[in-house]
Amino acid sequence: MIWVIAGTLDGRRLAVTVREHTKTPVLVSVVSRYGAELAAHEGIEVHTGRLDEEAMKTLIREKNISLLVDASHPYAAIVTATARSAAAAEGIPFVRFERAEVPLPAYDKLHHVSNEDEAAALAGKLGDIIYLTTGSKTMHIFAKADALKNKTVWTRVLPTAEVLTMMEELGVSPKHIIAMQGPFSYDMNRIMFSDTKAEVVVMKNSGLVGGSDTKLKAAMDLGLHIIVIDRPQPAKGATTITSADEFIDLWEDRVNGLCKKS
C-alpha cells in the first residue's frame, strides 16, 4: 500500500494518479472530516485525524506501507519533517510533493517575511485595515499580535464548524470573518479587497492551485501593500517532485525503484 498525505487539492489529485497508474492500494490521510469527503475515491482508503510520529510509524506497520508520498501543504513544515522521520524509522522510501511557487512580480509595495509573527508585526505598521488570506491554522498568531490591536483585521477561512468554533474561541468577531472555500478568481479577490477597504493583504505563495496569482494581481491593481510569507525551506536531501508526471517517472524507474521490496 502507498500512503499519500494529501492536505491539498493537488495532493488529492496526485493520490488518484498514484492509484490509477500503480494499480496499488492507496491510503490517503487528511485532518478533517471535510477533507475526508473530498478525498473519497474508488480504490483509496482514507484516514482522518492528526498524526504524530509514533502514530505515523504505527500506521506504516499496520497498513504495510511501502512508500510514503508527502503532499501536505507547502507551508506544513512540521508535517513534512515528521513524515520524513517516520518513513526513515520504518525503512521505507519518502517522496515530497512540492507544488511550484508563483513568480513574484516587481512591485514597490511587495514585502517578504519569514513567518506569521513577522507578518503581523509588519502589517500593523503598514495599515489599519488588514486582510488575511493565510487560513485558520496560524490565526492564533494574528489574533494575539500586539501590532494588530485596534486594527481592523479581516480573515478568510474555510466555512467548517471546526474552524468557526476555533475563531470564536480566539475572540475573532464574526463581523470580520469571511467563511468561504477558495481558490478565488481575480474578480472575487478584487471585490473582497475593495469592499473591505483593505490596505494590506497578507498571503502565502501557495502556487496556482492556492490562487496566489489572482490574489497578487487583485491587490496590485488596487495599489495595496502585499505581505508574502515565504515558504519554509524544502526538505533538503529528500526526493522531491512537483507534478504527477514526475511521480510516474520515478515509479517507472526500475533501476532505483521507489517501493520497499517485500
Side-chain angles (χ1 to χ4, degrees), residues 14 17-18 21-22 95 239-258:
L14 176 63
T17 297
V18 171
H21 184 81
T22 68
V95 174
T239 299
T240 302
I241 58 175
T242 60
S243 69
D245 286 342
E246 289 183 20
F247 172 83
I248 293 172
D249 289 342
L250 278 174
W251 183 262
E252 295 298 334
D253 183 353
R254 301 304 183 186
V255 175
N256 297 308
L258 275 177

Side-chain angles (χ1 to χ4, degrees), residues 174-221:
K175 180 180 179 180
H176 295 124
I177 297 174
I178 300 170
M180 297 177 68
Q181 180 179 343
F184 301 94
S185 67
Y186 164 83
D187 290 334
M188 182 68 84
N189 276 312
R190 180 164 180 145
I191 288 170
M192 289 183 181
F193 298 161
S194 179
D195 281 1
T196 57
K197 297 180 171 57
E199 299 167 339
V200 183
V201 172
V202 182
M203 61 174 284
K204 298 174 179 178
N205 192 342
S206 299
L208 291 174
V209 172
S212 296
D213 56 334
T214 57
K215 294 176 195 175
L216 282 166
K217 182 168 174 48
M220 289 171 61
D221 286 352

